[in-house]
C-alpha cells in the first residue's frame, strides 16, 4: 500500500474510487475502473481501500487494474466518513471522485475540460426539489404545507439549496475542499435543526447520506454545482432499465432523456407502469414529451431497485479478469520454467 505523500501529488489528473467493507464493493470498483479504461488510457486510476481489499487484489493477481492503491483511514469507512474528508485524499492535482456503481460510456476529455474551471464542485441541480433529503412518498406534502424546507434555510442563514449528486465530485483547490468538508460536518452535527430525514429509513440503505450536508455547505460558501442534467453532455445519468439501451457489457449505451426536468424526474419511480402512465399524461402539454437519445459520460446505478444489471456486470467482469489473470500467471510460470530448462541445457 502507498504511504501518504505530503505536498506531492501523483499526477496532473486522475480518477479516484473508494471502498470499504464487503468484498462485493471491490468487484464493483474493478468493474467500474475497467470501463474507464475503455475510453481513457492516459489518466491514472486510484483505489482507496482497506488492507483486506489490497490483499484480495494481490491474491487474484489484479493489482494492475489500478495505477495506485492508497489506504483508507479507519475513521473514514462510511459514506459520510469518506466524502466529508476527501481533502485528505487529493492524490492528483485535479481529482475526480467516482462512485463504484458506475459504467463509463464515452471519451471523458470534454468533461475534464469543463470541470477544470471549478476549484471544487459536485454534479447537481441548482435547485433542490422537496424530495431531496425528505420523504420519498406522499408525506412530503406535510413538509410543503408546513414550510419545513424554508425553515431549514432560515435556521442556517441560507438563501438557496442545490441538489447535489455526489456520485461524481471534483476537487483541485485543497483549502477550499477542506473548508467544504469541515462545513458539511458542522451541518450534519446540527441535523436536528433541519427537515432532512435519515437515509437509513429508506429501503436497502444502512448509511447516512452525505449529500444534503454537502449541498448546504456549498450554499453557505456560495460554490456552484456542476450541472447534472445537460442532455448530450450530461456528466452522469441514472440507469433506468426501460429507459436505457445497452449490450451485455455496456460498451454501447443510449439513454432516453426527457428535456423537461419535471417529466424526467419520474424516472426514479419504482413501478414502470406508473412512470410511463405519468409521462404519457404530462406529454399532452406541449414540450413536456420532448425527449432524445443521449450517451452520458457515465451511467450511474444509483437507484436501489435498478442495481441488478450492474451487479451482474460486476460479477462477470471480476470472473473474466480472474480467469485472464490466472492464465497470465500460468503463462509466465511456463516461460520461466522454459528459460530455466534452456539455461540448464546450455
Amino acid at each position: 500500500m502507498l504511504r501518504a505523500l505530503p505536498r506531492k501529488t501523483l499526477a496532473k489528473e486522475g480518477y479516484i474510487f473508494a471502498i470499504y467493507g464487503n468484498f462485493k464493493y471491490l468487484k464493483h470498483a474493478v468493474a467500474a475502473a475497467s470501463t474507464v479504461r475503455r475510453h481513457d488510457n492516459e489518466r491514472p486510476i486510484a483505489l482507496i481501500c482497506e488492507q483486506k481489499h489490497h490483499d484480495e487484489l494481490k491474491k487474484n493477481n489484479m493489482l494492475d487494474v489500478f495505477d495506485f492503491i492508497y489506504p483508507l483511514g479507519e475513521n473514514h469507512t462510511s459514506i459520510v466518513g469518506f466524502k466529508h474528508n476527501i481533502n485528505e485524499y487529493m492524490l492528483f492535482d485535479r481529482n475526480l471522485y467516482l462512485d463504484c456503481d458506475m459504467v463509463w460510456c464515452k471519451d471523458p476529455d470534454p468533461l475534464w475540460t469543463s470541470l477544470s474551471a471549478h476549484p471544487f464542485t459536485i454534479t447537481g441541480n441548482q435547485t433542490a426539489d422537496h424530495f431531496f433529503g425528505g420523504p420519498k412518498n406522499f408525506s412530503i406534502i406535510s413538509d410543503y404545507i408546513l414550510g419545513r424546507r424554508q425553515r431549514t434555510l432560515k435556521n442556517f442563514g441560507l438563501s438557496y439549496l442545490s441538489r447535489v449528486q455526489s456520485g461524481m465530485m471534483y476537487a483541485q483547490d485543497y483549502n477550499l475542499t477542506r473548508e467544504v468538508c469541515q462545513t458539511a460536518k458542522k451541518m450534519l452535527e446540527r441535523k436536528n435543526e433541519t427537515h432532512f430525514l435519515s437515509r437509513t429509513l429508506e429501503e436497502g440503505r444502512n448509511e447516512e447520506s452525505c449529500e444534503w450536508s454537502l449541498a448546504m455547505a456549498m450554499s453557505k460558501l456560495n460554490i456552484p454545482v456542476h450541472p447534472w442534467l445537460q442532455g448530450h453532455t450530461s456528466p452522469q445519468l441514472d440507469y433506468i432499465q426501460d429507459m436505457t439501451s445497452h449490450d451485455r457489457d455496456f460498451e454501447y449505451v443510449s439513454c432516453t432523456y426527457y428535456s423537461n426536468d419535471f417529466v424526467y424526474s419520474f424516472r426514479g419511480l419504482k413501478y414502470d407502469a406508473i412512470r410511463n402512465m405519468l409521462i404519457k399524461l404530462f406529454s399532452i402539454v406541449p414540450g413536456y414529451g420532448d425527449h432524445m437519445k443521449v450517451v452520458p459520460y457515465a451511467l450511474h446505478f444509483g437507484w436501489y431497485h435498478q442495481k441488478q444489471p450492474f451487479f451482474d456486470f460486476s460479477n462477470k467482469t471480476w470472473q473474466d479478469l480472474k480467469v485472464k489473470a490466472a492464465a497470465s500467471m500460468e503463462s509466465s510460470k511456463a516461460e520461466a520454467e522454459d528459460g530455466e530448462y534452456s539455461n540448464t541445457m546450455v
Side-chain angles (χ1 to χ4, degrees), residues 49-316:
C49 63
E50 298 174 88
Q51 184 66 44
K52 65 180 182 180
H53 301 116
H54 171 273
D55 295 343
E56 184 70 10
L57 285 172
K58 185 176 182 179
K59 183 179 76 173
N60 289 283
N61 198 31
M62 292 188 196
L63 288 173
D64 60 354
V65 171
F66 303 97
D67 298 286
F68 304 105
I69 301 179
Y70 194 88
L72 180 66
E74 292 183 5
N75 296 326
H76 300 160
T77 56
S78 67
I79 293 175
V80 171
F82 176 71
K83 293 191 176 181
H84 280 183
N85 291 283
I86 63 168
N87 59 291
E88 297 189 30
Y89 300 97
M90 296 180 69
L91 308 183
F92 310 107
D93 291 337
R94 299 173 181 173
N95 304 269
L96 186 56
Y97 304 89
L98 301 172
D99 279 1
C100 294
D101 54 350
M102 282 182 153
V103 167
W104 210 263
C105 303
K106 64 182 181 182
D107 179 6
D109 284 352
L111 177 61
W112 278 99
T113 299
S114 64
L115 287 170
S116 66
H118 298 274
F120 174 93
T121 194
I122 304 176
T123 53
N125 298 328
Q126 188 59 57
T127 302
D129 57 49
H130 273 77
F131 290 102
F132 180 55
K136 303 298 190 290
N137 51 46
F138 287 108
S139 63
I140 191 67
I141 296 174
S142 64
D143 276 14
Y144 180 78
I145 294 174
L146 297 174
R148 289 173 178 153
R149 182 182 188 273
Q150 291 86 342
R151 192 182 309 150
T152 295
L153 296 183
K154 183 178 179 180
N155 288 344
F156 288 81
L158 306 178
S159 61
Y160 73 94
L161 179 67
S162 299
R163 192 268 192 257
V164 304
Q165 212 308 323
S166 66
M168 192 174 288
M169 304 174 66
Y170 176 85
Q172 62 171 311
D173 184 311
Y174 173 79
N175 291 328
L176 182 59
T177 303
R178 182 171 178 269
E179 188 174 7
V180 171
C181 291
Q182 290 181 334
T183 305
K185 291 175 189 176
K186 293 176 182 176
M187 297 294 185
L188 187 60
E189 289 172 357
R190 297 174 60 188
K191 179 182 175 182
N192 292 337
E193 300 176 47
T194 76
H195 70 289
F196 299 113
L197 296 179
S198 173
R199 200 176 187 187
T200 59
L201 299 176
E202 297 179 27
E203 180 185 357
R205 307 291 186 181
N206 56 19
E207 289 196 50
E208 190 55 82
S209 171
C210 66
E211 293 188 333
W212 63 260
S213 50
L214 284 167
M216 291 178 71
M218 291 176 70
S219 177
K220 191 75 173 179
L221 300 171
N222 206 28
I223 300 173
V225 295
H226 185 79
W228 174 14
L229 305 177
Q230 300 184 46
H232 291 288
T233 56
S234 299
Q236 56 171 315
L237 290 179
D238 294 316
Y239 175 84
I240 305 297
Q241 191 165 33
D242 71 341
M243 295 175 68
T244 310
S245 301
H246 59 89
D247 62 313
R248 184 183 181 187
D249 292 326
F250 293 94
E251 293 190 42
Y252 305 98
V253 173
S254 177
C255 299
T256 300
Y257 177 95
Y258 283 84
S259 304
N260 182 275
D261 290 345
F262 175 69
V263 172
Y264 192 54
S265 70
F266 295 146
R267 69 191 182 281
L269 294 175
K270 187 173 182 179
Y271 300 104
D272 298 346
I274 295 176
R275 176 178 63 250
N276 294 333
M277 179 193 70
L278 288 172
I279 290 176
K280 186 175 181 179
L281 175 64
F282 282 95
S283 292
I284 296 174
V285 181
Y288 276 43
D290 290 4
H291 61 278
M292 60 188 84
K293 294 292 185 179
V294 306
V295 180
Y297 287 102
L299 190 62
H300 192 182
F301 296 76
W303 290 98
Y304 182 72
H305 59 281
Q306 297 283 351
K307 287 184 178 290
Q308 191 58 50
F310 181 77
F311 293 161
D312 295 340
F313 172 68
S314 173
N315 288 328
K316 178 181 180 297

Side-chain angles (χ1 to χ4, degrees), residues 10-36:
L10 302 173
K12 183 178 180 181
E13 296 176 339
Y15 306 90
I16 298 177
F17 293 99
I19 60 170
Y20 51 87
N22 197 299
F23 282 113
K24 68 181 180 181
Y25 300 118
L26 176 62
K27 294 182 180 181
H28 296 175
V30 166
S34 72
T35 66
V36 171

